[in-house]
């Protein structure tokens, strides 16, 4: 089955072709980062308009790269939530309309299920069951995964997601959007011991997260060290970046370790944009090695939003006969646990 995947949940237009026999054939991604940087974050209306501008050319690009035509497509998978309503509508309308024109099935995919299954595109994928840390700009969740569609939420952020905290901390420090990569770059030259940042909710039992206090601590630290012009000295900026990144990573790693002990699982999948953070990967690999376990993640280009993960996730459900009705339905808020189990 040849599946066309469409991802338009936020500020990246991702298109891919996945063949259930041959694997990923082609993918393309257009990022709107430059468009939104001047605003310090994503502007929903501008994101929607840019998806409209780019989605058809990207579909044509992917078809040409794979050497196929629209007539060769067997099914379409599009992101139907969660995400920005207007952005989701672009992909859903195009996907649903194209499926109707070609008389083929289509399915709306849960964005976070796409992230969760992205490591399945790698040469050595994880085997079910496993523990998953979904960590992005909109989500920070620990999930017990028995199989596709069989998810148990173990813990989540009670306020800001980790990726959102990175973006807000970066803005406080005068760094450009998106914040995560810029903080990570500065942290390489920082001295994380200069400032002692808190590890929120790590002394309390449970698997929930909280990053709002860490954000406030960052704001106060920046305010104490700016000069008369409101600027931070370069080294101080690096030290704050290093301390902040360390605090987030330590918090995530501690909760993962706690969840693995609680569930008895020794396989961990990390997915979402923050899973590309090299320090997080290194610390989790060290932790899992000490626990005689394994950690899995997607290649960096498939950690952020992309069409490949949507095509793959959709293909798994299409193979067992699941598909969407003709109605165009998007779900800006959509708990992962509401998804039906995958049953053949």
């Amino acid at each position: 089955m040849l599946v066309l995947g469409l991802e338009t949940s936020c500020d990246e237009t991702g298109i891919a072709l996945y063949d259930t026999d041959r694997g990923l054939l082609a993918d393309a991604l257009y990022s709107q980062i430059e468009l939104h940087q001047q605003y310090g974050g994503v502007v929903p209306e501008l994101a929607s308009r840019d998806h409209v501008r780019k989605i058809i050319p990207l579909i044509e690009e992917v078809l040409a790269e794979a050497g196929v035509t629209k007539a060769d497509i067997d099914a379409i998978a599009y992101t139907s939530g969660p995400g920005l309503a207007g952005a989701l509508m672009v992909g859903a309308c195009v996907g649903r309309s194209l499926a109707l024109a070609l008389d083929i099935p289509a399915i709306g995919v849960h964005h976070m299920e796409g992230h969760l299954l992205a490591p399945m595109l790698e040469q050595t994928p994880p085997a079910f069951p496993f523990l998953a840390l979904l960590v992005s700009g909109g989500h920070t969740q620990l999930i017990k995964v028995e199989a596709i569609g069989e998810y148990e939420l173990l813990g989540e952020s009670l306020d800001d997601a980790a990726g959102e905290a990175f973006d807000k901390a970066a803005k406080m420090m005068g760094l450009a959007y998106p914040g995560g990569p810029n903080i990570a770059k500065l942290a390489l030259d920082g001295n994380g011991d200069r400032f002692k940042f808190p590890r929120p909710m790590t002394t309390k039992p449970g698997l929930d997260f909280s990053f709002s206090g860490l954000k406030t601590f960052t704001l106060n630290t920046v305010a104490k060290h700016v000069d008369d012009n409101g600027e931070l000295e370069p080294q101080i900026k690096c030290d704050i970046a290093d301390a902040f990144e360390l605090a987030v990573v330590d918090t995530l790693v501690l909760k993962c370790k706690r969840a693995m002990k609680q569930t008895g699982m020794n396989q961990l999948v990390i997915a979402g944009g923050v899973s590309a953070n090299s320090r997080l990967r290194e610390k989790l690999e060290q932790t899992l090695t000490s626990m005689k376990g394994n950690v899995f993640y997607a290649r960096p280009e498939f950690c952020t939003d992309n069409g490949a993960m949507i095509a793959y996730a959709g293909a798994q459900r299409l193979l067992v006969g699941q598909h969407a009705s003709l109605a165009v339905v998007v779900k800006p808020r959509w708990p992962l646990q509401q998804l039906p189990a995958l049953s053949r």
Side-chain angles (χ1 to χ4, degrees), residues 166 180 183-184 187-188 240-250 277 279:
F166 266 110
I183 285 181
L188 293 173
I240 293 175
D242 194 31
F244 177 85
E245 184 184 52
L246 270 171
V248 174
V249 168
D250 285 349
N277 182 281
R279 177 175 270 168

Side-chain angles (χ1 to χ4, degrees), residues 5 17 52 98-99 104 108-109 122 134 137 211 214 231 237 280 339:
L17 277 168
V52 171
L98 187 56
I104 58 176
V109 173
E122 303 303 319
L134 299 182
F211 294 103
L214 185 58
E231 301 289 335
K237 188 177 290 189
L280 177 60
L339 289 176

Side-chain angles (χ1 to χ4, degrees), residues 21-143:
D21 293 323
R22 296 179 289 167
L24 184 64
L25 302 185
D27 71 281
L29 182 71
Y30 173 75
S31 175
Q32 302 175 5
I33 286 177
E34 290 186 6
L35 173 65
H36 299 287
Q37 272 182 335
Q38 60 183 309
Y39 304 102
V42 178
V43 181
E45 179 61 27
L46 297 181
S48 303
R49 293 179 184 180
D50 227 31
H51 285 309
V52 171
R53 184 173 68 90
K54 296 298 295 186
I55 191 168
I56 298 301
L58 283 177
I59 291 174
E60 294 173 346
E61 178 185 327
V62 165
L63 290 171
E65 181 183 341
V68 300
T69 67
K70 291 185 180 71
D72 297 312
I73 302 172
D74 296 310
I76 295 175
Y78 56 88
T79 305
S80 56
L84 303 176
L88 291 168
M89 283 296 293
V90 176
C93 287
V94 171
R96 186 66 265 174
S97 299
L98 187 56
L100 181 62
L102 297 174
D103 193 26
I104 58 176
I107 189 166
V109 173
H110 193 291
H111 179 74
M112 296 312 294
E113 182 171 72
H115 275 304
L116 188 151
L117 297 178
M120 298 297 184
L121 293 164
E122 303 303 319
Q123 289 186 343
T124 308
F128 297 104
F130 56 77
L131 184 71
L133 172 66
L134 299 182
V135 56
S136 66
H139 297 80
T140 301
Q141 298 178 326
L142 274 168
I143 297 173

Side-chain angles (χ1 to χ4, degrees), residues 44-323:
E45 179 61 27
L46 297 181
S48 303
R49 293 179 184 180
D50 227 31
H51 285 309
V52 171
R53 184 173 68 90
K54 296 298 295 186
I55 191 168
I56 298 301
L58 283 177
I59 291 174
E60 294 173 346
E61 178 185 327
V62 165
L63 290 171
E65 181 183 341
V68 300
T69 67
K70 291 185 180 71
D72 297 312
I73 302 172
D74 296 310
I76 295 175
Y78 56 88
T79 305
S80 56
L84 303 176
L88 291 168
M89 283 296 293
V90 176
C93 287
V94 171
R96 186 66 265 174
S97 299
L98 187 56
L100 181 62
L102 297 174
D103 193 26
I104 58 176
I107 189 166
V109 173
H110 193 291
H111 179 74
M112 296 312 294
E113 182 171 72
H115 275 304
L116 188 151
L117 297 178
M120 298 297 184
L121 293 164
E122 303 303 319
Q123 289 186 343
T124 308
F128 297 104
F130 56 77
L131 184 71
L133 172 66
L134 299 182
V135 56
S136 66
H139 297 80
T140 301
Q141 298 178 326
L142 274 168
I143 297 173
K144 183 180 180 182
V145 181
E146 294 289 350
I148 296 177
E150 297 180 31
Y151 308 127
E152 179 186 352
L153 180 64
L154 302 177
E156 62 183 337
S157 178
L158 303 179
D159 38 61
D160 291 354
E164 183 181 3
F166 266 110
D167 289 339
K168 290 180 177 178
K171 191 172 184 179
M172 296 171 193
M173 297 163 60
L175 303 178
Y177 170 85
N182 290 316
I183 285 181
K185 185 177 180 180
L186 281 183
L188 293 173
D189 297 317
N191 174 13
D193 295 329
R194 181 172 184 172
F195 301 105
K196 183 60 177 176
F197 276 46
R199 274 61 172 164
M201 294 186 69
T202 55
T203 59
K204 298 180 180 179
L207 298 173
D208 286 329
F209 303 87
S210 172
F211 294 103
S212 62
L214 185 58
K215 180 184 64 177
T216 301
F217 192 92
T218 304
L219 180 63
N220 292 335
T221 303
V222 170
K224 289 178 182 178
H225 292 87
V226 293
D227 59 24
D228 293 338
N229 296 318
E231 301 289 335
L232 289 170
E233 292 181 9
Q235 187 57 52
I236 292 178
K237 188 177 290 189
C238 291
D239 294 343
I240 293 175
D242 194 31
F244 177 85
E245 184 184 52
L246 270 171
V248 174
V249 168
D250 285 349
T251 300
L252 294 172
V253 171
L254 186 146
K255 295 286 185 170
C256 286
K257 185 176 180 179
R258 186 179 293 175
M260 294 184 70
K261 289 181 177 179
Q262 178 177 309
T263 61
M265 292 184 168
N266 65 353
Q267 289 195 113
L268 175 69
V269 165
I270 55 171
V274 181
S275 69
N277 182 281
S278 59
R279 177 175 270 168
L280 177 60
R281 291 188 177 197
E282 290 169 4
K283 288 216 168 190
L284 282 174
E285 286 174 353
Q286 293 170 3
T287 299
L288 268 291
T289 298
S290 69
M291 299 177 70
K292 295 182 172 56
N294 297 294
V295 61
F296 300 85
Y297 40 76
R299 69 198 78 166
E301 60 265 34
F302 291 160
C303 289
T304 55
D305 297 350
N306 63 87
M309 68 182 193
I310 300 304
Y312 178 85
Q316 307 315 303
R317 293 187 174 276
L318 288 159
L319 281 172
V320 298
Q322 295 182 14
H323 58 84

